[in-house]
Short mmCIF file of all heavy atoms in Angstrom, two decimals:
data_model
loop_
_atom_site.label_atom_id
_atom_site.label_comp_id
_atom_site.label_asym_id
_atom_site.label_seq_id
_atom_site.Cartn_x
_atom_site.Cartn_y
_atom_site.Cartn_z
N GLY A 683 -9.01 -7.93 14.35
CA GLY A 683 -8.86 -8.67 13.10
C GLY A 683 -7.41 -8.96 12.79
O GLY A 683 -6.68 -9.53 13.59
N GLU A 684 -6.97 -8.51 11.60
CA GLU A 684 -5.61 -8.78 11.14
C GLU A 684 -4.95 -7.48 10.67
O GLU A 684 -5.62 -6.52 10.30
CB GLU A 684 -5.63 -9.78 9.96
CG GLU A 684 -6.29 -11.11 10.28
CD GLU A 684 -5.51 -11.94 11.28
OE1 GLU A 684 -4.27 -11.72 11.37
OE2 GLU A 684 -6.12 -12.80 11.94
N PRO A 685 -3.60 -7.45 10.65
CA PRO A 685 -2.88 -6.26 10.17
C PRO A 685 -2.80 -6.25 8.64
O PRO A 685 -1.73 -6.39 8.04
CB PRO A 685 -1.50 -6.40 10.81
CG PRO A 685 -1.30 -7.88 10.92
CD PRO A 685 -2.67 -8.44 11.24
N LEU A 686 -3.93 -6.06 7.99
CA LEU A 686 -4.02 -6.17 6.53
C LEU A 686 -3.52 -4.91 5.81
O LEU A 686 -3.00 -4.99 4.71
CB LEU A 686 -5.45 -6.47 6.11
CG LEU A 686 -6.10 -7.71 6.74
CD1 LEU A 686 -7.56 -7.81 6.34
CD2 LEU A 686 -5.33 -8.96 6.34
N ALA A 687 -3.73 -3.75 6.42
CA ALA A 687 -3.35 -2.47 5.79
C ALA A 687 -3.98 -2.31 4.42
O ALA A 687 -3.31 -1.88 3.46
CB ALA A 687 -1.83 -2.34 5.73
N GLU A 688 -5.25 -2.64 4.29
CA GLU A 688 -5.95 -2.55 3.02
C GLU A 688 -6.87 -1.33 2.93
O GLU A 688 -7.59 -1.17 1.95
CB GLU A 688 -6.75 -3.83 2.79
CG GLU A 688 -5.90 -5.06 2.62
CD GLU A 688 -6.70 -6.34 2.46
OE1 GLU A 688 -7.92 -6.32 2.74
OE2 GLU A 688 -6.11 -7.36 2.07
N GLY A 689 -6.86 -0.48 3.96
CA GLY A 689 -7.72 0.69 3.95
C GLY A 689 -7.11 1.84 3.17
O GLY A 689 -6.11 1.70 2.46
N ARG A 690 -7.74 3.04 3.31
CA ARG A 690 -7.29 4.23 2.57
C ARG A 690 -6.97 5.36 3.54
O ARG A 690 -7.64 5.52 4.55
CB ARG A 690 -8.37 4.67 1.59
CG ARG A 690 -8.68 3.65 0.49
CD ARG A 690 -9.76 4.18 -0.44
NE ARG A 690 -11.01 4.41 0.29
CZ ARG A 690 -11.88 5.37 0.00
NH1 ARG A 690 -11.62 6.21 -0.98
NH2 ARG A 690 -13.00 5.49 0.70
N LEU A 691 -5.97 6.14 3.20
CA LEU A 691 -5.57 7.28 4.02
C LEU A 691 -5.97 8.59 3.36
O LEU A 691 -6.14 8.67 2.14
CB LEU A 691 -4.06 7.27 4.24
CG LEU A 691 -3.45 6.05 4.91
CD1 LEU A 691 -1.96 6.26 5.12
CD2 LEU A 691 -4.14 5.74 6.22
N ASN A 692 -6.10 9.64 4.19
CA ASN A 692 -6.39 10.99 3.72
C ASN A 692 -7.68 11.04 2.90
O ASN A 692 -7.74 11.66 1.83
CB ASN A 692 -5.22 11.55 2.90
CG ASN A 692 -3.93 11.53 3.69
OD1 ASN A 692 -3.92 11.67 4.90
ND2 ASN A 692 -2.82 11.34 2.99
N VAL A 693 -8.70 10.37 3.41
CA VAL A 693 -10.00 10.33 2.74
C VAL A 693 -11.00 11.19 3.50
O VAL A 693 -10.80 11.52 4.67
CB VAL A 693 -10.53 8.89 2.64
CG1 VAL A 693 -9.62 8.05 1.76
CG2 VAL A 693 -10.65 8.26 4.03
N THR A 694 -12.07 11.54 2.83
CA THR A 694 -13.17 12.24 3.49
C THR A 694 -14.03 11.22 4.22
O THR A 694 -14.47 10.23 3.63
CB THR A 694 -14.04 12.99 2.46
OG1 THR A 694 -13.23 13.96 1.80
CG2 THR A 694 -15.20 13.70 3.16
N LEU A 695 -14.24 11.44 5.51
CA LEU A 695 -15.10 10.56 6.31
C LEU A 695 -16.40 11.27 6.62
O LEU A 695 -16.46 12.50 6.66
CB LEU A 695 -14.40 10.20 7.62
CG LEU A 695 -13.05 9.50 7.54
CD1 LEU A 695 -12.46 9.34 8.94
CD2 LEU A 695 -13.19 8.14 6.86
#
Side-chain angles (χ1 to χ4, degrees):
E684 302 292 336
L686 304 174
E688 294 177 347
R690 297 180 298 147
L691 301 183
N692 304 329
V693 295
T694 299
L695 301 175

